[in-house]
PDB file of all heavy atoms in Angstrom:
ATOM      1  N   LEU A  16     162.642 177.846 -14.327  1.00 91.00           N
ATOM      2  CA  LEU A  16     161.729 178.654 -15.184  1.00 91.00           C
ATOM      3  C   LEU A  16     162.393 179.178 -16.467  1.00 91.00           C
ATOM      4  O   LEU A  16     161.817 179.035 -17.534  1.00 91.00           O
ATOM      5  CB  LEU A  16     161.171 179.807 -14.361  1.00 91.00           C
ATOM      6  CG  LEU A  16     159.817 179.547 -13.724  1.00 91.00           C
ATOM      7  CD1 LEU A  16     159.378 180.724 -12.869  1.00 91.00           C
ATOM      8  CD2 LEU A  16     158.772 179.199 -14.777  1.00 91.00           C
ATOM      9  N   PRO A  17     163.597 179.770 -16.393  1.00 91.00           N
ATOM     10  CA  PRO A  17     164.178 180.273 -17.635  1.00 91.00           C
ATOM     11  C   PRO A  17     164.368 179.180 -18.666  1.00 91.00           C
ATOM     12  O   PRO A  17     164.101 179.389 -19.867  1.00 91.00           O
ATOM     13  CB  PRO A  17     165.550 180.820 -17.186  1.00 91.00           C
ATOM     14  CG  PRO A  17     165.374 181.103 -15.736  1.00 91.00           C
ATOM     15  CD  PRO A  17     164.430 180.068 -15.215  1.00 91.00           C
ATOM     16  N   ALA A  18     164.747 177.986 -18.224  1.00 91.00           N
ATOM     17  CA  ALA A  18     164.955 176.866 -19.188  1.00 91.00           C
ATOM     18  C   ALA A  18     163.648 176.451 -19.803  1.00 91.00           C
ATOM     19  O   ALA A  18     163.557 176.175 -21.001  1.00 91.00           O
ATOM     20  CB  ALA A  18     165.596 175.676 -18.450  1.00 91.00           C
ATOM     21  N   ILE A  19     162.550 176.435 -19.003  1.00 94.00           N
ATOM     22  CA  ILE A  19     161.239 176.046 -19.532  1.00 94.00           C
ATOM     23  C   ILE A  19     160.755 177.094 -20.552  1.00 94.00           C
ATOM     24  O   ILE A  19     160.294 176.764 -21.652  1.00 94.00           O
ATOM     25  CB  ILE A  19     160.203 175.882 -18.354  1.00 94.00           C
ATOM     26  CG1 ILE A  19     160.562 174.674 -17.531  1.00 94.00           C
ATOM     27  CG2 ILE A  19     158.783 175.795 -18.905  1.00 94.00           C
ATOM     28  CD1 ILE A  19     159.822 174.530 -16.256  1.00 94.00           C
ATOM     29  N   VAL A  20     160.926 178.382 -20.197  1.00 95.00           N
ATOM     30  CA  VAL A  20     160.502 179.459 -21.114  1.00 95.00           C
ATOM     31  C   VAL A  20     161.311 179.399 -22.428  1.00 95.00           C
ATOM     32  O   VAL A  20     160.763 179.516 -23.517  1.00 95.00           O
ATOM     33  CB  VAL A  20     160.678 180.865 -20.458  1.00 95.00           C
ATOM     34  CG1 VAL A  20     160.461 181.974 -21.423  1.00 95.00           C
ATOM     35  CG2 VAL A  20     159.711 180.961 -19.258  1.00 95.00           C
ATOM     36  N   LYS A  21     162.590 179.107 -22.307  1.00 94.00           N
ATOM     37  CA  LYS A  21     163.429 179.013 -23.501  1.00 94.00           C
ATOM     38  C   LYS A  21     162.951 177.839 -24.406  1.00 94.00           C
ATOM     39  O   LYS A  21     162.839 177.979 -25.610  1.00 94.00           O
ATOM     40  CB  LYS A  21     164.881 178.785 -23.063  1.00 94.00           C
ATOM     41  CG  LYS A  21     165.897 178.978 -24.178  1.00 94.00           C
ATOM     42  CD  LYS A  21     167.308 178.824 -23.653  1.00 94.00           C
ATOM     43  CE  LYS A  21     168.264 178.600 -24.757  1.00 94.00           C
ATOM     44  NZ  LYS A  21     169.549 178.111 -24.294  1.00 94.00           N
ATOM     45  N   GLY A  22     162.685 176.717 -23.790  1.00 95.00           N
ATOM     46  CA  GLY A  22     162.183 175.562 -24.525  1.00 95.00           C
ATOM     47  C   GLY A  22     160.863 175.829 -25.205  1.00 95.00           C
ATOM     48  O   GLY A  22     160.665 175.498 -26.391  1.00 95.00           O
ATOM     49  N   LEU A  23     159.918 176.492 -24.467  1.00 95.00           N
ATOM     50  CA  LEU A  23     158.607 176.786 -25.033  1.00 95.00           C
ATOM     51  C   LEU A  23     158.720 177.763 -26.192  1.00 95.00           C
ATOM     52  O   LEU A  23     157.967 177.708 -27.158  1.00 95.00           O
ATOM     53  CB  LEU A  23     157.704 177.332 -23.957  1.00 95.00           C
ATOM     54  CG  LEU A  23     157.092 176.291 -23.025  1.00 95.00           C
ATOM     55  CD1 LEU A  23     156.299 176.951 -21.931  1.00 95.00           C
ATOM     56  CD2 LEU A  23     156.232 175.323 -23.814  1.00 95.00           C
ATOM     57  N   SER A  24     159.668 178.723 -26.087  1.00 94.00           N
ATOM     58  CA  SER A  24     159.826 179.688 -27.147  1.00 94.00           C
ATOM     59  C   SER A  24     160.256 179.006 -28.442  1.00 94.00           C
ATOM     60  O   SER A  24     159.791 179.365 -29.549  1.00 94.00           O
ATOM     61  CB  SER A  24     160.785 180.805 -26.767  1.00 94.00           C
ATOM     62  OG  SER A  24     162.088 180.286 -26.768  1.00 94.00           O
ATOM     63  N   ILE A  25     161.083 178.013 -28.328  1.00 92.00           N
ATOM     64  CA  ILE A  25     161.511 177.254 -29.550  1.00 92.00           C
ATOM     65  C   ILE A  25     160.302 176.514 -30.147  1.00 92.00           C
ATOM     66  O   ILE A  25     160.054 176.512 -31.337  1.00 92.00           O
ATOM     67  CB  ILE A  25     162.641 176.281 -29.217  1.00 92.00           C
ATOM     68  CG1 ILE A  25     163.910 177.086 -28.854  1.00 92.00           C
ATOM     69  CG2 ILE A  25     162.969 175.355 -30.391  1.00 92.00           C
ATOM     70  CD1 ILE A  25     165.053 176.301 -28.281  1.00 92.00           C
ATOM     71  N   THR A  26     159.478 175.903 -29.246  1.00 92.00           N
ATOM     72  CA  THR A  26     158.259 175.211 -29.715  1.00 92.00           C
ATOM     73  C   THR A  26     157.347 176.171 -30.448  1.00 92.00           C
ATOM     74  O   THR A  26     156.806 175.860 -31.537  1.00 92.00           O
ATOM     75  CB  THR A  26     157.537 174.554 -28.523  1.00 92.00           C
ATOM     76  OG1 THR A  26     158.470 173.803 -27.806  1.00 92.00           O
ATOM     77  CG2 THR A  26     156.377 173.706 -28.954  1.00 92.00           C
ATOM     78  N   LEU A  27     157.138 177.368 -29.871  1.00 92.00           N
ATOM     79  CA  LEU A  27     156.222 178.342 -30.481  1.00 92.00           C
ATOM     80  C   LEU A  27     156.752 178.810 -31.835  1.00 92.00           C
ATOM     81  O   LEU A  27     156.009 179.044 -32.762  1.00 92.00           O
ATOM     82  CB  LEU A  27     156.001 179.539 -29.551  1.00 92.00           C
ATOM     83  CG  LEU A  27     155.163 179.207 -28.340  1.00 92.00           C
ATOM     84  CD1 LEU A  27     155.152 180.355 -27.334  1.00 92.00           C
ATOM     85  CD2 LEU A  27     153.740 178.860 -28.742  1.00 92.00           C
ATOM     86  N   LYS A  28     158.086 178.957 -31.912  1.00 89.00           N
ATOM     87  CA  LYS A  28     158.688 179.387 -33.178  1.00 89.00           C
ATOM     88  C   LYS A  28     158.401 178.339 -34.281  1.00 89.00           C
ATOM     89  O   LYS A  28     158.019 178.684 -35.377  1.00 89.00           O
ATOM     90  CB  LYS A  28     160.206 179.509 -32.985  1.00 89.00           C
ATOM     91  CG  LYS A  28     160.714 180.939 -33.244  1.00 89.00           C
ATOM     92  CD  LYS A  28     162.195 180.963 -33.359  1.00 89.00           C
ATOM     93  CE  LYS A  28     162.866 181.283 -32.041  1.00 89.00           C
ATOM     94  NZ  LYS A  28     164.315 181.243 -32.110  1.00 89.00           N
ATOM     95  N   HIS A  29     158.492 177.072 -33.896  1.00 85.00           N
ATOM     96  CA  HIS A  29     158.225 176.003 -34.886  1.00 85.00           C
ATOM     97  C   HIS A  29     156.760 176.016 -35.249  1.00 85.00           C
ATOM     98  O   HIS A  29     156.392 175.732 -36.416  1.00 85.00           O
ATOM     99  CB  HIS A  29     158.567 174.651 -34.281  1.00 85.00           C
ATOM    100  CG  HIS A  29     160.032 174.293 -34.407  1.00 85.00           C
ATOM    101  ND1 HIS A  29     160.549 173.728 -35.549  1.00 85.00           N
ATOM    102  CD2 HIS A  29     161.054 174.474 -33.570  1.00 85.00           C
ATOM    103  CE1 HIS A  29     161.861 173.557 -35.400  1.00 85.00           C
ATOM    104  NE2 HIS A  29     162.194 173.978 -34.202  1.00 85.00           N
ATOM    105  N   LEU A  30     155.871 176.346 -34.311  1.00 84.00           N
ATOM    106  CA  LEU A  30     154.428 176.308 -34.561  1.00 84.00           C
ATOM    107  C   LEU A  30     153.985 177.366 -35.528  1.00 84.00           C
ATOM    108  O   LEU A  30     153.198 177.170 -36.411  1.00 84.00           O
ATOM    109  CB  LEU A  30     153.668 176.474 -33.253  1.00 84.00           C
ATOM    110  CG  LEU A  30     153.190 175.239 -32.524  1.00 84.00           C
ATOM    111  CD1 LEU A  30     152.456 175.648 -31.260  1.00 84.00           C
ATOM    112  CD2 LEU A  30     152.277 174.406 -33.405  1.00 84.00           C
ATOM    113  N   PHE A  31     154.481 178.603 -35.339  1.00 85.00           N
ATOM    114  CA  PHE A  31     153.921 179.746 -36.075  1.00 85.00           C
ATOM    115  C   PHE A  31     154.850 180.360 -37.131  1.00 85.00           C
ATOM    116  O   PHE A  31     154.375 181.008 -38.041  1.00 85.00           O
ATOM    117  CB  PHE A  31     153.498 180.839 -35.085  1.00 85.00           C
ATOM    118  CG  PHE A  31     152.451 180.366 -34.131  1.00 85.00           C
ATOM    119  CD1 PHE A  31     152.750 180.171 -32.803  1.00 85.00           C
ATOM    120  CD2 PHE A  31     151.161 180.051 -34.571  1.00 85.00           C
ATOM    121  CE1 PHE A  31     151.779 179.711 -31.915  1.00 85.00           C
ATOM    122  CE2 PHE A  31     150.213 179.595 -33.721  1.00 85.00           C
ATOM    123  CZ  PHE A  31     150.519 179.403 -32.369  1.00 85.00           C
TER     124      PHE A  31
END
Side-chain angles (χ1 to χ4, degrees):
L16 264 177
I19 290 169
V20 171
K21 193 176 163 194
L23 282 176
S24 71
I25 292 170
T26 307
L27 288 172
K28 242 194 266 177
H29 276 275
L30 263 181
F31 299 110

